Amino acid sequence: MANSKYEYVKSYEFEDEIMQPNLIVVRLDGRNFERFSEIHEFEKPNDVRALNLMNSCATAVVEEYPDIVFSYGFDDEYSFVFKKTSNFYQRRASKMLTLIVSFFSSVYATKWKEFFPQKELEYPPSFHARVISCATLEVLQVYLAWRQNACHSDNLCRTCFWMLIRSGKTIEEAKEALKDCQKEEKNELLFQRFGINYKKLPEMFRQGSCIFKTEVEVVVKYDEHGNPIKRLRRKPNIVHTQNIVAKKFWNEQLVLVKELGGFEDEIAKIKTEYVKSFLFENKLLPSTYIVIRIDGCHFHRFSDIHGFEKPNDAQALNLMNTCAVAVLKEFHDIVFAYGVSDEYSFVLRKNSQFNQRQASQIVSAIVSFFSTMYAMKWKEFFPQKNLKYPPSFDGRAVCYPSEEILQDYLAWRQVDCHINNQYNTCFWMLVKSGKTKAEAQQCLKGTQTQEKYELLSRQFGTDYSSLPVMFRQGSFVYRMKLQEVVVDHSNIIERSFWKEYSSILEEMPAHTSAANECTQTSVSAS
Ligand SMILES: Nc1nc2c(ncn2[C@@H]2O[C@H](COP(=O)(O)OP(=O)(O)OP(=O)(O)O)[C@@H](O)[C@H]2O)c(=O)[nH]1
Ligand SMILES: [Mg+2]
Ligand SMILES: [Mg+2]
């Protein structure tokens, strides 16, 4: 196949399988949620609606991915624990973390109105995610204890802080008053000054929420005499408890003991060397172009269910392009993007220090942002169609050490676009002309490019090269002078393209590239 010349770029992709018997946790956490909660006027210190929305998204995740057997969340974070025998996506870390964070994000966007009926989503919220692998069940126990401790102490601190602010203190004064303040003193302060018994505050605020499944008997059908036939089914429940890793609590949950194991001991102390491993992150090679490629999960089904036009739906592609433009506006270190079908490749500049080049932080932020944007923008592109279920995307990060190899990578994607589009165009024309799918397939088997050109013009009077350029060549997105982000279509395989657009891959002077986390993205941007 014509593809082979560029296919060598695949060898730059790396394996990231988490080996048995490690237990896998995916943890996600709101990106810049302080600002998000300000703009959406969340109640302080805790907003019940926002927490319920998080719980509802996590429940959707648990229902979507049966391998997740336990999850725990508070504030803007959630951890998902997979059963020990899970073979979800062959235990590939980047697949697991991006699918979960993507699905969670698009559920968050689609469910927003249910929890905040009076409030518009002003811009797409997004989440970071990472995989934590726990070598033993004891390590998992410490991990969960560590997160619940964080919930306890964060909440106590936040509660004190906002009571002080409400009583008239400035932010600085409140911070000063709480500096070096121990847990007991904070409890005292709440009680003495504000008459609040901390232990009486809602459990969800103090303890966080766990979701796990219990086996319940449900009626699946009725026999011919009208008697109910029951089966055991696993149903997720949201539970609040003081200590999620207490033996008394954990070992009583049959599903947890079966899928993860029972705890042997109580946690006496959170080991700092374990916490260090929970915080560890792989970094991508310096001075290489980082490409984040995202791809729609089961978009074959998604496009069928939503009745996309075949082989190309211009609106669906425009929606993808609009999301990609928003990504470039949000992440300033992305200099170029190329998209076709349900995929997009985002190129970060060579010396980017975005998220300290931590692979999972970068890929999760982009995938999550793209997913919420896709869900939020859907109605604009498909006003007549409801989004039937939340779409999700997977993502990976790959480093390319030179401009040349990067250009070959992009050429590889565009060659793929050519081959697939030409095939699909012929295939659907044959099908629309009355052939069965199997006949159309048979007709095209082993045909070369030239033969397909001829088939189209001979049988259907179609000149392939006159079809819309977006279908034939995909789309690229870049930043023009004055920072305007634009979509265009061109042959990016030819090196002349890169001569014409030579400034795209040129490094900026160091001082202009320091601050790159994010700026505000407005939803109305297109
Ligand atoms: N009808 C139609 N389908 C599209 C369009 N764009 C993408 N698709 C569908 O999305 C699929 C994308 O291919 P893949 O990414 O390889 O397949 P997938 O079904 O998403 O499966 P995974 O990516 O492995 O989860 C295509 O095969 C099409 O079925 C479109 O414009 N119109
Ligand atoms: Mg796909
Ligand atoms: Mg694809």
Side-chain angles (χ1 to χ4, degrees):
M1 241 182 192
N3 225 352
S4 57
K5 180 175 165 203
Y6 299 112
E7 230 164 304
Y8 79 92
V9 296
K10 274 193 347 204
S11 63
Y12 287 83
E13 297 179 4
F14 53 88
E15 295 295 324
D16 60 355
E17 179 184 337
I18 307 224
M19 305 291 171
Q20 299 264 18
N22 287 286
L23 297 166
I24 301 173
V25 180
V26 171
R27 171 169 157 221
L28 54 83
D29 173 61
R31 235 182 105 234
N32 206 353
F33 254 47
E34 198 172 322
R35 172 165 176 267
F36 183 77
S37 58
E38 284 295 336
I39 286 183
H40 295 88
E41 297 169 314
F42 284 8
E43 276 165 33
K44 305 188 153 148
N46 289 289
D47 190 308
V48 182
R49 300 161 301 176
L51 292 173
N52 284 337
L53 171 56
M54 289 292 291
N55 287 346
S56 175
C57 296
T59 305
V61 169
V62 168
E63 277 169 344
E64 179 81 4
Y65 302 104
D67 278 12
I68 297 172
V69 286
F70 184 79
S71 38
Y72 173 73
F74 66 97
D75 199 1
D76 65 343
E77 76 162 68
Y78 242 102
S79 298
F80 298 97
V81 185
F82 286 74
K83 66 177 181 185
K84 64 180 172 216
T85 56
S86 178
N87 202 26
F88 185 66
Y89 280 94
Q90 291 79 51
R91 302 173 71 91
R92 282 181 290 170
S94 58
K95 280 261 182 193
M96 296 175 88
L97 89 98
T98 51
L99 281 173
I100 302 293
V101 76
S102 170
F103 186 74
F104 189 98
S105 307
S106 69
V107 177
Y108 196 98
T110 46
K111 283 190 184 244
W112 174 265
K113 267 266 132 75
E114 203 180 299
F115 292 84
F116 291 93
Q118 321 289 4
K119 223 163 251 169
E120 284 300 320
L121 201 43
E122 297 288 334
Y123 67 92
S126 53
F127 298 84
H128 282 296
R130 61 163 78 200
V131 164
I132 291 131
S133 67
C134 299
T136 62
L137 186 62
E138 187 220 332
V139 180
L140 175 68
Q141 191 184 12
V142 174
Y143 171 78
L144 293 171
W146 176 58
R147 289 333 295 148
Q148 197 174 31
N149 262 6
C151 169
H152 283 306
S153 58
D154 284 5
N155 186 59
L156 181 59
C157 199
R158 266 207 314 268
T159 308
C160 292
F161 181 80
W162 286 104
M163 289 311 296
L164 288 168
I165 298 285
R166 262 182 224 152
S167 74
K169 292 240 182 297
T170 65
I171 291 179
E172 276 66 41
E173 287 165 346
K175 277 187 184 156
E176 188 56 35
L178 293 172
K179 214 170 90 187
D180 306 323
C181 194
Q182 295 303 303
K183 190 175 151 199
E184 290 70 30
E185 295 166 81
K186 287 186 188 128
N187 278 319
E188 260 323 276
L189 176 125
L190 286 177
F191 194 68
Q192 300 295 348
R193 279 193 59 176
F194 306 109
I196 292 175
N197 181 349
Y198 182 72
K199 291 218 163 67
K200 293 264 163 67
L201 294 178
E203 287 176 329
M204 178 162 70
F205 299 171
R206 290 180 293 115
Q207 303 171 341
S209 305
C210 18
I211 304 174
F212 54 88
K213 291 176 188 140
T214 43
E215 283 178 339
V216 287
E217 265 195 332
V218 292
V219 176
V220 288
K221 57 182 174 189
Y222 292 89
D223 68 12
E224 68 267 34
H225 309 297
N227 301 317
I229 297 177
K230 293 178 182 171
R231 291 270 186 284
L232 275 183
R233 286 283 141 81
R234 289 183 173 183
K235 288 231 166 239
N237 301 302
I238 299 178
V239 174
H240 310 288
T241 184
Q242 174 65 25
N243 181 1
I244 55 176
V245 296
K247 274 163 61 182
K248 191 161 134 315
F249 170 72
W250 186 276
N251 293 358
E252 263 173 22
Q253 318 305 331
L254 295 179
V255 176
L256 297 184
V257 174
K258 186 169 161 208
E259 303 293 4
L260 290 164
F263 291 150
E264 303 275 336
D265 297 300
E266 301 293 352
I267 294 291
K269 177 177 160 288
I270 291 180
K271 295 195 173 110
T272 45
E273 58 276 28
Y274 288 1
V275 172
K276 212 171 136 191
S277 84
F278 304 148
L279 295 171
F280 174 78
E281 284 247 28
N282 269 321
K283 288 192 180 180
L284 295 162
L285 269 186
S287 301
T288 54
Y289 292 99
I290 300 170
V291 172
I292 307 294
R293 180 167 82 243
I294 68 170
D295 184 281
C297 176
H298 303 320
F299 257 49
H300 189 71
R301 173 167 175 258
F302 184 84
S303 51
D304 264 352
I305 286 183
H306 292 91
F308 283 6
E309 273 171 39
K310 292 170 194 316
N312 288 292
D313 188 305
Q315 280 305 82
L317 295 171
N318 287 330
L319 171 56
M320 290 290 289
N321 291 346
T322 296
C323 295
V325 168
V327 168
L328 261 82
K329 288 184 176 170
E330 175 81 2
F331 302 96
H332 292 179
D333 276 12
I334 299 176
V335 291
F336 186 81
Y338 174 73
V340 38
S341 179
D342 66 340
E343 73 166 63
Y344 242 102
S345 298
F346 297 99
V347 181
L348 275 79
R349 61 187 189 84
K350 202 169 178 176
N351 290 329
S352 171
Q353 291 306 315
F354 179 55
N355 282 143
Q356 294 90 53
R357 298 179 79 88
Q358 289 171 341
S360 47
Q361 297 287 311
I362 299 173
V363 70
S364 60
I366 291 173
V367 138
S368 169
F369 182 87
F370 193 95
S371 309
T372 33
M373 199 68 187
Y374 194 97
M376 285 172 74
K377 284 275 179 189
W378 175 267
K379 264 273 140 188
E380 213 173 283
F381 289 85
F382 295 101
Q384 321 291 357
K385 284 179 192 165
N386 283 332
L387 195 50
K388 301 241 171 66
Y389 64 91
S392 50
F393 297 83
D394 69 34
R396 69 178 79 213
V398 188
C399 294
Y400 299 100
S402 71
E403 242 171 72
E404 202 185 355
I405 300 171
L406 172 73
Q407 290 162 3
D408 280 355
Y409 165 80
L410 293 163
W412 175 53
R413 298 323 303 143
Q414 194 170 47
V415 169
D416 216 48
C417 168
H418 277 305
I419 294 172
N420 288 332
N421 189 60
Q422 219 192 14
Y423 183 93
N424 291 338
T425 305
C426 294
F427 180 85
W428 287 107
M429 285 222 174
L430 288 166
V431 170
K432 281 172 194 168
S433 76
K435 289 221 182 326
T436 65
K437 285 183 183 174
E439 284 164 354
Q441 214 172 358
Q442 195 53 39
C443 226
L444 292 169
K445 207 171 153 188
T447 53
Q448 298 296 309
T449 304
Q450 199 49 38
E451 295 165 76
K452 293 198 190 80
Y453 266 116
E454 279 157 21
L455 181 138
L456 284 174
S457 83
R458 197 181 59 238
Q459 279 204 35
F460 305 107
T462 299
D463 172 13
Y464 182 76
S465 54
S466 70
L467 294 178
V469 63
M470 175 165 74
F471 299 170
R472 288 180 292 113
Q473 300 190 327
S475 306
F476 70 93
V477 183
Y478 72 110
R479 210 171 270 109
M480 275 212 303
K481 280 182 230 112
L482 301 169
Q483 299 293 304
E484 191 196 350
V485 179
V486 292
V487 180
D488 211 339
H489 317 280
S490 180
N491 180 338
I492 63 170
I493 299 170
E494 295 300 327
R495 289 300 197 254
S496 56
F497 173 86
W498 293 105
K499 287 213 178 78
E500 191 183 336
Y501 290 90
S502 60
S503 63
I504 289 177
L505 299 179
E506 261 167 27
E507 275 299 305
M508 298 180 259
H511 66 274
T512 58
S513 56
N516 49 33
E517 168 61 324
C518 64
T519 51
Q520 138 164 21
T521 302
S522 125
V523 187
S524 53
S526 63

